[in-house]
Amino acid sequence: MYQPFYHADQYRPEHTPPSYWHATTARPTFAAGSGEHTVDVAIIGGGYCGLSAALHLARDHGASVAVLEAGDIGWGASGRNAGFNTLPATKHDYAGLLRQLGPAGAAGFMAAQNEAMQLVATLAAEEGIATQACGSGSYVVAHSPAAWDALQAEHDAWQQHTPVACRLLPRQVFAGMGHDGPAQHGALHILQGGGLNPLALVCGLAQAAQRHGAVLLPQQPVSRWQRHAAGHTLHASGSVVHARQLLLATNGYLPAVLPPALRQRTLPVISNIIVTRPLSPAEWDAYRYHSETPMFDTRHLLSYWRRLPDGRLLFGARGDLSGSDASGQRQRAVLQAQLAARFPAWAGVEIDYFWRGLMAVNRRLLPQYGALPGDGSVWHAAGCFGSGVSTMPWLGRALARAMAGQPPTATEAACAMHGLAPRLPPTSALQKLGLRLAYTAYAWRDRFSEPA
Ligand SMILES: Cc1cc2nc3c(=O)[nH]c(=O)nc-3n(C[C@H](O)[C@H](O)[C@H](O)COP(=O)(O)OP(=O)(O)OC[C@H]3O[C@@H](n4cnc5c(N)ncnc54)[C@H](O)[C@@H]3O)c2cc1C
């Protein structure tokens, strides 16, 4: 059902991910899909993108929709991410956006990102989704004095050219309100968004889509796709779906049925997460760490962390080219070492949860979405650079509007995410080599940017 890029251990939709969220969240039961369905739009992928598209198509455009998901609802990255509702979904800083997109494109992209953060809260309010929102915005933490200088430039550019509300927190200020410690040199506070429970969000989107009439078909890996004059027929293990239009909402979990135009566009990347045992108030006090606002740092190979409402620390980072469970154990140790470097007093603290999943990047360094060139009935979205919690629901909504034949909103028209990223190298071996070189270059750049 998948087009595997990593070890088979990454592609077992019959297994529940061993995540903190799955262990602690009361989830609704979605019955396994079955039967034959004829709908306006068939969607492959039951994550934020597919479910947001389904919700908006059914609720706002009166379309009939079926969502096919190989695992349980939210089995992919949407149910197991870190729950940061933040931006931006790009590897670029604002200067890089300007170079690639020009002033209108850069501002348009950031305006869409800003709207996406708001959309999560709006959908939660409209559809009664208990996302367990916590914290206030997010902190981008400077890992060096030079990174602090760069953050100030980013702040100034955002203030001048984008609607993103943010403020600078010099080291001493951030030490008093975010956290103290050897690895912070000040922070940029993005004032919107925050932390949430990602599994609660994806299950809530699914319930809302279902309530508005979408058919959910979990545990239905799509193994065959027939294109014919009337549209599309998808075959899964227990169901068949006929549709006029098709949306591929599969992000880093590339399906075997990917059409040629979408091949070699999206590079899956592994992101790894550990969650500690609950830390005591005294342990948090050691770093004056009293915030539930999610944080990530300015390294090229960035770390991200957040204090969870039950007093645990969630800590994550990208990496690994294998994907096997055995190499996962090595990544777990790498994360523990990184955590100990950032928070030496917590070196050796017990880790209660470790899991990982696939996100997606591409050569354009921006998400891609739209209709396939040459076949306007096939739609796609992928490549959120680790900021899919906000971006994917937004792209799902934009796609729903487009599939319903509506004109784009002004923000959608200006968002600079349309179309396809340039092709990657033709084989997965070459793509992995490119990823290995990028990881190595980033690691060296990060090492040389550390303060002496
Ligand atoms: C560990 C981790 C941490 C992250 N942390 C954050 C974060 O804190 N904040 C943030 O903004 N982003 C984060 N991300 C990224 C974010 O989770 C993703 O960008 C987002 O969830 C992608 O949503 P999606 O709906 O496009 O894809 P996914 O949620 O990945 O869903 C794709 C689905 O397609 C299904 N599929 C594929 N092929 C088939 C087939 N043949 N048949 C049926 N189904 C199929 C898969 O089973 C999968 O469930 C993180 C990602 C990971 C992996």
Side-chain angles (χ1 to χ4, degrees), residues 165-176:
C166 58
R167 61 178 175 160
L168 286 164
L169 301 172
R171 179 180 186 144
Q172 279 315 316
V173 178
F174 187 51

Side-chain angles (χ1 to χ4, degrees), residues 1-2 13 44-51 68-72 74-86 202 220-223 249-257 269-273 304 355-360 381-392:
M1 83 210 69
Y2 298 114
I44 306 180
Y48 299 140
C49 182
L51 293 166
L68 297 111
E69 165 55 50
D72 283 332
W75 180 83
S78 297
R80 62 173 92 180
N81 62 66
F84 287 39
N85 176 15
T86 189
V202 74
Q220 292 302 300
V222 176
S223 53
T250 51
N251 203 45
Y253 293 89
L254 303 175
V257 295
V269 167
I270 299 175
S271 199
N272 310 276
I273 294 180
Y304 50 88
W355 74 95
R356 54 214 203 126
L358 304 182
M359 44 166 275
C384 278
F385 290 82
S387 282
V389 169
S390 53
T391 307
M392 278 306 180

Side-chain angles (χ1 to χ4, degrees), residues 274-279 283 287 313 332-352:
I274 52 177
V275 170
T276 69
R277 66 161 165 77
L279 300 170
E283 287 176 300
Y287 292 105
L313 179 75
R332 185 185 196 274
V334 168
L335 286 186
Q336 279 183 280
Q338 290 179 354
L339 189 159
R342 310 263 184 302
F343 302 100
W346 299 339
V349 70
E350 292 85 349
I351 302 302
D352 284 351

Side-chain angles (χ1 to χ4, degrees), residues 295-310:
M295 314 190 192
F296 50 99
D297 68 29
T298 45
R299 289 179 175 81
H300 291 285
L301 290 177
L302 62 83
S303 306
Y304 50 88
W305 62 94
R306 58 181 279 207
R307 178 176 171 159
L308 295 170
D310 64 359

Side-chain angles (χ1 to χ4, degrees), residues 4-364:
F5 185 77
Y6 293 107
H7 190 278
D9 290 344
Q10 292 306 308
Y11 304 97
R12 293 182 301 198
E14 65 284 6
H15 290 183
T16 303
S19 83
Y20 167 80
W21 310 113
H22 287 83
T24 59
T25 307
R27 277 186 293 156
T29 307
F30 299 101
S34 63
E36 188 158 353
H37 306 266
T38 300
V39 289
D40 296 322
V41 181
I43 297 174
I44 306 180
Y48 299 140
C49 182
L51 293 166
S52 168
L55 166 61
H56 287 96
L57 277 163
R59 187 189 71 177
D60 300 348
H61 305 290
S64 58
V65 192
V67 181
L68 297 111
E69 165 55 50
D72 283 332
I73 289 299
W75 180 83
S78 297
R80 62 173 92 180
N81 62 66
F84 287 39
N85 176 15
T86 189
L87 53 72
T90 177
K91 193 77 183 150
H92 280 309
D93 58 11
Y94 200 76
L97 286 176
L98 275 177
R99 275 194 301 277
Q100 181 169 323
L101 304 174
F109 173 71
M110 291 301 288
Q113 291 278 288
N114 196 55
E115 193 175 280
M117 284 194 301
Q118 288 167 9
L119 177 63
V120 175
T122 304
L123 285 173
E126 286 173 349
E127 299 298 336
I129 304 173
T131 60
Q132 299 165 27
C134 62
S136 163
S138 53
Y139 295 125
V140 188
V141 182
H143 74 285
S144 67
W148 170 243
D149 293 343
L151 271 188
Q152 293 181 66
E154 194 71 352
H155 166 268
D156 293 350
W158 287 8
Q159 293 283 84
Q160 205 180 335
H161 303 292
T162 82
V164 179
C166 58
R167 61 178 175 160
L168 286 164
L169 301 172
R171 179 180 186 144
Q172 279 315 316
V173 178
F174 187 51
M177 58 182 296
H179 75 78
D180 203 357
Q184 71 95 351
H185 297 263
L188 177 68
H189 188 183
I190 300 169
L191 293 165
Q192 264 196 65
L196 51 72
N197 176 329
L199 185 58
L201 173 62
V202 74
C203 289
L205 286 174
Q207 282 180 305
Q210 200 170 41
R211 209 168 40 243
H212 290 284
V215 175
L216 302 186
L217 302 169
Q219 299 168 32
Q220 292 302 300
V222 176
S223 53
R224 196 152 65 90
W225 165 26
Q226 288 172 289
R227 180 76 175 97
H228 43 75
H232 308 270
T233 299
L234 300 176
H235 299 264
S237 46
S239 47
V240 177
V241 176
H242 311 281
R244 284 190 295 109
Q245 301 193 77
L246 171 65
L247 168 59
L248 292 142
T250 51
N251 203 45
Y253 293 89
L254 303 175
V257 295
L258 206 63
L262 287 181
R263 292 187 196 141
Q264 292 114 40
R265 306 281 183 186
T266 298
L267 189 60
V269 167
I270 299 175
S271 199
N272 310 276
I273 294 180
I274 52 177
V275 170
T276 69
R277 66 161 165 77
L279 300 170
S280 69
E283 287 176 300
W284 287 107
D285 280 344
Y287 292 105
R288 293 196 279 167
Y289 188 148
H290 301 128
S291 171
E292 288 183 355
T293 299
M295 314 190 192
F296 50 99
D297 68 29
T298 45
R299 289 179 175 81
H300 291 285
L301 290 177
L302 62 83
S303 306
Y304 50 88
W305 62 94
R306 58 181 279 207
R307 178 176 171 159
L308 295 170
D310 64 359
R312 300 170 188 271
L313 179 75
L314 177 155
F315 189 92
R318 293 162 202 162
D320 190 21
L321 291 159
S322 153
S324 71
D325 287 345
S327 76
Q329 289 311 307
R330 290 190 288 278
Q331 286 302 311
R332 185 185 196 274
V334 168
L335 286 186
Q336 279 183 280
Q338 290 179 354
L339 189 159
R342 310 263 184 302
F343 302 100
W346 299 339
V349 70
E350 292 85 349
I351 302 302
D352 284 351
Y353 300 95
F354 165 72
W355 74 95
R356 54 214 203 126
L358 304 182
M359 44 166 275
V361 302
N362 60 38
R363 274 185 61 202
R364 188 165 69 170

